[in-house]
Amino acid sequence: MLSPTRTDTSVPVVELRGICKSFPGVKALDEVSLALHPGEVHMIMGENGAGKSTLMKILCGAHTADAGEFYHQGQPAKMADAADARRYGVAVIFQELSLVPHLDVGRNIFLGREPRGLLPGQIDLPALYARAQGFLDMVGSAIDVRTPVHRLRVAEQQIVEIAKALSQNAKVLVLDEPTSALSDREVESLFKVIRDLRHKGVAMAYISHRMAEVFELGDRITVIRDGKHIKTLMPAEASPDEIVRLMVGRTVDMTYQREFCNRPGEAVIELKGVGAANGVRGVNLVVRRGEIVGLSGLVGSGRTEVARAIFGADRIIQGQVLHLGKPLPNDPAKVVSCGIGLIPENRKTQGLALIRSVQDNLIVSSLDRHFPTRKFSMRKAATLAAELIARLRIATPSSQRKVGNLSGGNQQKVVIGKWLSADVDLLIFDEPTRGIDVGAKAEIFELIDGLVKQGKAVLMISSELPEITHICDRAYVMRHKTIVGELSRQELTAENVMRLAVHHD
Amino acid sequence: DGERIAVFTKNQTNPFFLTVRLGADAAARQLKATVVHYIPTKADSIPEQISQIEDVIVKRPSAVVLTPVDFKALNGAIRKLNEANIPVVNMTDRAEQGKFVNFVGAADYDLGLATGRYLLRKLGGQGNVVILEGVKGAVVPNERLRGYKDALKEFPKVKVLASQTANNQRLQAVQVTENLLQANPKIDGILAVNDAMATGAIEALDGANRKALVVGINGTREAVEAIKAGKMLASGDYNAFQHGCFAVMSAVRSLRGQPVPKEIAFPARVIDSSNFQSLDMAPEKMSCLPWESVVK
Amino acid sequence: MTISPTSEPLGQRVLDFLGGPDIAYRLVAVALLCAALAMASGNFLTEGNLLNVLRQASLLFLIASGLTVVLIAGGIDLSVGANLGLSACLAGLTLKATGSIPLAFVVGIGTGTCAGLLNGMLVSFMRVPPFIATYGMLWVLTGLTYLVMHGDAIAGFPSAFRFIGSGYLAGIPVPVYLMVAFLITGGLFARMTTYGQQTYAIGANPEAALLSGVPVRSRQILVYTMSGAMAGLAALVFLARVNSAEGDIGETLTLPAITAALIGGTSLFGGVGTLTGTLIGALMMTLVINGMNLLSVDTNWQPFVMGVMVVLAVLVDRLSHRR
Amino acid sequence: MIDLVLRRCGAAWPAAIERAPGIWAILVVLALAFSVTTDTFLTGPNLTNLGVQSSILLLLALPMTLVILSEGIDLSMGGVVALAGMVAASALASGASLPTAFAIGIGCGLVAGLWNGVVVAYLQVPPFVATLGTLGMAQGLALVMTDGQSITNVGDALPALFSSSLVGIPTPLIIAGVAYWITHFILYRTRFGNAIFAMGGNREAWRLAGGNVAAVLIGVYAFSGLMVGLTSVMFASRMSAGHPTASLGLEFDAMAAVALGGTSFERGNGWLFGTVLGVLAIGVLRNGLNLLGFPSSLQVISVGVLVLLALLLNGLKRQSS
Ligand SMILES: Nc1ncnc2c1ncn2[C@@H]1O[C@H](COP(=O)(O)OP(=O)(O)OP(=O)(O)O)[C@@H](O)[C@H]1O
Ligand SMILES: Nc1ncnc2c1ncn2[C@@H]1O[C@H](COP(=O)(O)OP(=O)(O)OP(=O)(O)O)[C@@H](O)[C@H]1O
Ligand SMILES: [Mg+2]
Ligand SMILES: [Mg+2]
């Protein structure tokens, strides 16, 4: 079914030449070229805001290029909209999920391509479900095709996305950070599918910020910086350091070395047998001044829920949360005024007001701190924002730009920035580096390190094990909505974390 | 126990119908009958009144007193009442079709004619006037308007500067009149098809420090106050209370086998500073006229 | 990429203070409208007529201003008209019964505030979507109005009371002063307090605002309560102006108020909008109706013209933002 | 049996209750209360009344559900019902046959719907504003047509239609039933239905799937217009006249019914059968209170309390899960 029509790997299936694309105030792409060959996984690397997603969106017709040419099987072709892309066999798994929440899995997989029934416009539902089941089987998933997608976890939704892309019989598959929400096990099954497709001659473009994946999967690597094509090279001729140098234009230390904390201070927050309306049960946990505490576990183990419960976003129904020894109110606004901040998991829906400016977003959490009389001054706000933009090196033409127009990584920096501005004692990071490039990652860790050195405390949730094992002073591991173990600095190894996180019985 | 009469009025916002309902209650008390009121929750809603009639048919009252919210739209519902053999008295607003015990109300055209003539005579048969029309398409304001226009035909020297609707509403009448006062430096008379708009026009006149003779129709308490204070010239008396009285009396009499005339129309009477006393009291204190004093 | 707060040119700062380019377009539209009306009707540019327009617009603005704040916070208040009706009736009854003007004020504004508070509680604590919550309240408030009025009307209030609705100060109608006072207070609230910042933040993304430590619920309650209080105040001005109250006094006021806010550039999706815009919206609507009355255009055309106007206003916004 | 029906309507028993617990609770309580307090509620003629009275609202609430699912709203319904009804009535008045009048009424509705769709889809005016504009325009035109008069000389065929019946079932009920069935088919069995869910849930997903967003939006509003056109003739039939203002505000009743039935105003989350329940709840409440001879002002309050209570109960359910 997926047999390649051409095995000649020298003619690219699709090729972009000299692509330019500008958004108001930004030149996102400047003369970028990219060729995707059958049977190859082409890794696209670059810092946040380099233009990777934009390039992919042009490849699949979601954006139209301002200038440049498009070739299909070596022939010039037109690429005006998503329908064109589909004709050339381009399928995409986007950075932002593109599923319809209140349709079921089967209907989502075949959205816009439903098998036809007898009447005009009618769907042949039995055929649709049977075929959808087939594609889910192919990725080795046990999800029921009739489940509405909104009931699925993020990881399961990602799998539906993959099945959807598979069902399109794609000649070209674009994957924009497909693993950012997946657990290791799911990543493995995704990689298996990718290798299968490579074998069948599908051309793939793969964006990732995880260096390991680049070398595990990549057949060819293209690096983009500031909207410009920097270099295309083979994995054999590249080293991680070299790629990072190309990406950021300078050398970066990726090992996140830090001095661990030997003598933590008083407990900033302490959870005693906490259970919350969102499902977590019997959570005991303490975070002290001067330490970074990790919260690890598989996706769905309840880490986000613990964070939300502490922050007061979900109702606590049993146990106690103590802040500096006193009970912490169960209300986000009061929690913030106690000096606790949360960097949520989904920056677009939970972290930012996308239609408001960078400045407005940066100061929203610290209004009470900077304007204690509640008298607001635009001038002071602008000064504060400018400082933060400079301090975090947020790439934005002006503090008045809408946050929605920034790249993912820079948006994340804005979310972090608003808590820096609020000068909180305890910061809870939920997947702080999701979709963030290595350079920015290093910066963020440096920042976190700086915070704890000042005597602040950090609770960090991450799905990337190295982040937990390299950065944290201690870590808790969760399973089934409760904490199943605590690991000290000495015990904190990937093996130990996984042993606790995965259920054996 | 006495007869159960279902009384349908058009809305619960216009004081006119409150007075009608009080009249109905008073008559029911006198005759030892019971009255249940049905009023659309949305003022003057046709579909709601139809539904209410359908629901009431299921309950089978002894008789129905009906002020249809629309001249024709209630035909179907009235037919159902007739088919169910429930006697129906038509009150205040005439319905187009249907078998009725009788009609109890006033002649809107006559009221318009009489009140219009009254104002035009006071103007000495010349000058500039404006008309404030009511809700478009409703029978009552239309008939009154026709009366006004026919009265104007009798006084060819009077000039009609404008004829605009303020939808029977006081606030709209204030604003429309304000604008008309700006557009027309000389306005001598204002003919409003109801008292709410007439009093609205008076507000606008007061605000602009201008003078004009104003008439309305209905004889509401507010109009009586204005007449008493010398701000309003006159109002056509609609006899609201007696509508309620005589409609219920007609229903009960016909149930009891007593004779009932096919039509009880209260004569067109204009109320001015000389004869407002009969209306200068709270409707709660009013009482039904004796049957014989009206039905000869 | 320099990111220091540069001092902008004066013209830009004035424009910003007025509310940005959207407001400027609208001011131009108002000017054109006035010019056209002045040419079409000799009565338009008279002092009396202009004061009329201002007074009529100020009433509409008073109702629409509270609503605008609710819209900015991402909500909607379909009950403003009904709220105004109930407040006016209760205040009127109080005034008739006791003759005490201060008491009437307390009752009128108090009723409006309570109803607004209830709206706020429904939306924030009970999580009823604002559209439905305020629609339900519309019925409840209307029913209560009918209940207290039981079909009657009240009229004839003391002239001292009527001053706020139909009086003049230095030749200018009193409601116009109220309008200006609220425009300034509202503008200060929106731009010079952290409440304003938080209101915009909630409208733009309530979830993010909550997770940023903005006290979302209490701010929602605040804006609905403010809208209710404004409805109560507008009710008093109304009462004073028309000198009577009936059960249906507020029935037809909600949609025009929403229309004024929309014409003024406030977004239904929250996070965008200004009181200045709403004022201009109210002014444009009043001007059009005034012009139609002056030119004796059939009043039946009024809804049609309003319909065209609201779509055009929003369309112009869209087009100007696309550039 | 009931379970089978429900499953066909998009959910099994427990799921159906879970989707809109408030409306079920209220329907059951109201029906029980009225059966006990009146001896007429549970009679054949009364239930027929109830069905016939609810049919018009259902005809509007069905397309409203689709529009709301597509993250839109249609405020123009009442105005367009008036305009299309006036046009159809004037056609009848000038001697057209009943089928022609239906065609004209539906055609009028369709034009208004297409206009809404074009303004929303191509001019990208938010649906609330676009349809508010159409409301004004339709209402204005309906008034201008006859200077605000209703059109009453419509012959006998139209008035007879509403009270007629087919094999013992009232015609309005049959029409409402067929309309439900067609709407159900469109929403749950066609590509267009999937597209409607995508409009509210994730428009970008539909665009990326090669779908045409504008076409779907126009389709939704056109369908709405079509149904509004049909309603306009049924409405005129109920009143034996074309009336320029009687239908104003119907769209809000329709929206309330949709919301009562558990359809939320965001994320394309909704349920067509719930809308039927919502319409029924409003109908049962009004009918029962009339049977009780409940004072009208309290009836007004009850409607508001019903809406708030149902939504509160739905919300409680959501919070606890
Ligand atoms: N819709 C848009 N409107 C305006 N600017 C945009 C838009 N989409 C992207 N940009 C800008 O284009 C540039 C490239 O963004 P893009 O999303 O392609 O980056 P990226 O390489 O995918 O980054 P990340 O790794 O953070 O996802 C950024 O400066 C971004 O601000
Ligand atoms: N079965 C489910 N149905 C609906 N929503 C769910 C379900 N499981 C999880 N979610 C939601 O998805 C989000 C992610 O939850 P999850 O359980 O994956 O959190 P987590 O353990 O923090 O994992 P991660 O942080 O890696 O996403 C939460 O907001 C949660 O409420
Ligand atoms: Mg990206
Ligand atoms: Mg999580």
Side-chain angles (χ1 to χ4, degrees), chain D residues 11-12 40 51 55 61-62 84 86 95 105 111 119 121 154 158 179 209 221 231 243-244 297:
Chain D
T40 38
S55 62
L62 290 172
M86 291 288 283
V111 170
V119 177
V154 290
L158 184 73
Y221 287 96
T231 313
H243 198 288
S297 53

Side-chain angles (χ1 to χ4, degrees), chain C residues 119-174:
Chain C
N119 275 327
M121 307 265 266
L122 283 167
V123 169
S124 66
F125 285 106
M126 323 265 183
R127 307 260 178 98
V128 182
F131 204 93
I132 303 300
T134 56
Y135 180 70
M137 281 295 283
L138 156 75
W139 281 91
V140 172
L141 297 175
T142 308
L144 287 174
T145 314
Y146 290 174
L147 202 63
V148 297
M149 297 298 289
H150 65 88
D152 209 351
I154 34 177
F157 301 114
S159 59
F161 173 74
R162 302 206 46 217
F163 180 70
I164 57 159
S166 43
Y168 289 83
L169 256 179
I172 295 184
V174 177

